[in-house]
Amino acid sequence: MVRPHMIERDKIQFNNPSFPLMATTTEGVSPGFQRLHWHVAMEMNYIRQGSGYYLINGIRVPFKQGDLIMINGNDVHRAFEQEQLVMDVILFEPSLLAVDLKYDPDILRPFREMGVSFSPVVEGEQWGSTDFIHLFKAIMDEIMDERPSALTLARAYLLQFLALANRHLALSEVPLAPVKHRGMNAIKEIIHTMEMNMAYPWTLGELADLVHLSPSRFSALFQQTVGTSPMDYLIQLRLTQAVYLLESTELKVIDIAERCGFRNLSNFNRLFKQHIGTSPSDVRQHYEGGTNFVETVR
């Protein structure tokens, strides 16, 4: 089997490409399956319920109910759930505010200088946080309800949010030490290569070689950024794909195991039970009974 090359990042598909702003609500993060990812779009999350933490550029960022999280475009991040998590998510691309940048070049500073002059968290009990939460919810309401002039108002509320963040949230010092840019790019490239070629029999040495690092240095950098070792993350990716194939196809279990990079069925069954908590056949029975298994383990 030929060793794959590194590839480019994913792209977010907005419902309206001419107006790259979208909003959604998510419930829970399936244990072990929240993939490390990044995108051009900037992201804001409001924690409705529960608690957990993000890994953002290798930095652990805890959050709890009532907090707002801001994530800059192209920052690699991954969410972990500690209690039953419900959060609202807003994504927008900088191009949405291209005209406004002409008149206020600093409007995106709260994202562009994240970890330098701004903290990624607006805590719920923080002074003035109610203003930001109100504006966040106003954006969500306009996008979700689709009333007349909803897009105009959503964009206006977003501008107000950013302007107030510029005025009130800048810090003299942020106690963060993110992974350096070069190391972050290396992890981005490796993650996408693993995702798109998970059936390839990767070794730690091969993955490290792709980014011209020693296996020990690569492992340490990966652990800091992703929160788990390279090979454990690869297993998580493979098992995630296996669950999807069990629920969406009629392929035999042994064929799914092979497609997902497992070299024998007994090893696949053992790892599946260890990480998912049940057997592949049980997952298929859930699906055939009309239940999405991944939703049941959130």
Side-chain angles (χ1 to χ4, degrees):
M1 184 180 293
V2 178
R3 189 175 74 181
H5 297 289
M6 293 179 290
I7 61 172
E8 297 297 324
R9 64 170 178 263
D10 294 334
K11 293 183 179 179
I12 291 178
Q13 299 296 321
F14 288 91
N15 295 331
N16 183 352
S18 64
F19 193 88
L21 172 68
M22 62 188 297
T24 187
T25 298
T26 66
E27 297 184 9
V29 179
S30 299
F33 292 125
Q34 179 57 40
R35 58 185 284 270
L36 189 80
H37 61 286
W38 67 97
H39 33 68
V40 172
M42 296 169 172
E43 180 174 345
M44 299 189 295
N45 300 329
Y46 173 67
I47 311 303
R48 280 201 205 177
Q49 172 186 307
S51 64
Y53 65 93
Y54 265 108
L55 278 178
I56 304 175
N57 290 344
I59 295 298
R60 192 177 188 273
V61 179
F63 57 74
K64 61 186 181 305
Q65 182 175 332
D67 289 350
L68 274 171
I69 312 295
M70 295 187 291
I71 303 172
N72 190 24
N74 289 321
D75 281 356
V76 296
H77 52 285
R78 184 184 186 195
F80 293 83
E81 178 183 18
Q82 291 176 320
E83 296 180 11
Q84 293 186 348
L85 181 63
V86 178
M87 62 181 176
D88 294 328
V89 181
I90 292 174
L91 291 161
F92 69 95
E93 289 197 355
S95 60
L96 180 71
L97 306 178
V99 174
D100 307 279
L101 286 166
K102 177 181 178 181
Y103 301 103
D104 186 355
D106 292 333
I107 193 66
L108 290 175
R109 277 187 67 228
F111 287 93
R112 295 303 190 200
E113 298 182 16
M114 190 65 63
V116 178
S117 301
F118 294 84
S119 169
V121 183
V122 179
E123 297 184 357
E125 64 274 13
Q126 182 176 328
W127 180 87
S129 64
T130 53
D131 292 336
F132 294 101
I133 293 169
H134 173 76
L135 287 168
F136 181 98
K137 290 181 177 179
I139 299 169
M140 286 287 301
D141 289 345
E142 294 299 335
I143 295 299
M144 303 297 282
D145 290 349
E146 298 182 347
R147 291 171 290 181
S149 299
L151 298 183
T152 300
L153 282 170
R155 186 174 176 278
Y157 290 137
L158 176 60
L159 281 169
Q160 188 176 355
F161 182 102
L162 293 169
L164 289 176
N166 251 323
R167 179 173 292 180
H168 298 297
L169 296 184
L171 303 176
S172 58
E173 181 179 355
V174 179
L176 300 177
V179 174
K180 293 182 179 179
H181 183 70
R182 181 179 177 184
M184 193 57 60
N185 283 340
I187 295 301
K188 288 181 179 180
E189 292 169 347
I190 287 294
I191 289 293
H192 265 294
T193 303
M194 291 167 68
E195 288 177 345
M196 299 302 293
N197 303 280
M198 66 181 69
Y200 181 80
W202 292 107
T203 66
L204 179 62
E206 284 180 313
L207 291 170
D209 182 58
L210 283 176
V211 288
H212 311 291
L213 294 173
S214 68
S216 60
R217 172 59 183 149
F218 169 68
S219 292
L221 181 64
F222 196 98
Q223 180 78 39
Q224 178 185 355
T225 307
V226 184
T228 189
S229 71
M231 304 318 289
D232 281 348
Y233 188 75
L234 180 59
I235 290 172
Q236 292 173 3
L237 288 177
R238 288 170 170 169
L239 291 174
T240 301
Q241 180 68 5
V243 170
Y244 169 75
L245 292 175
L246 285 165
E247 293 185 336
S248 62
T249 74
E250 296 182 357
L251 289 170
K252 295 180 179 178
V253 172
I254 191 170
D255 294 330
I256 290 174
E258 182 177 355
R259 285 195 181 197
C260 294
F262 297 96
R263 297 302 162 224
N264 60 74
L265 187 59
S266 61
N267 187 48
F268 172 62
N269 287 331
R270 178 182 62 82
L271 289 170
F272 201 98
K273 178 69 174 180
Q274 177 183 334
H275 288 267
I276 308 301
T278 188
S279 68
S281 58
D282 284 341
V283 171
R284 175 150 283 171
Q285 286 175 6
H286 271 277
Y287 172 71
E288 291 174 347
T291 303
N292 183 292
F293 177 78
V294 174
E295 294 296 330
T296 70
V297 299
R298 284 181 174 176

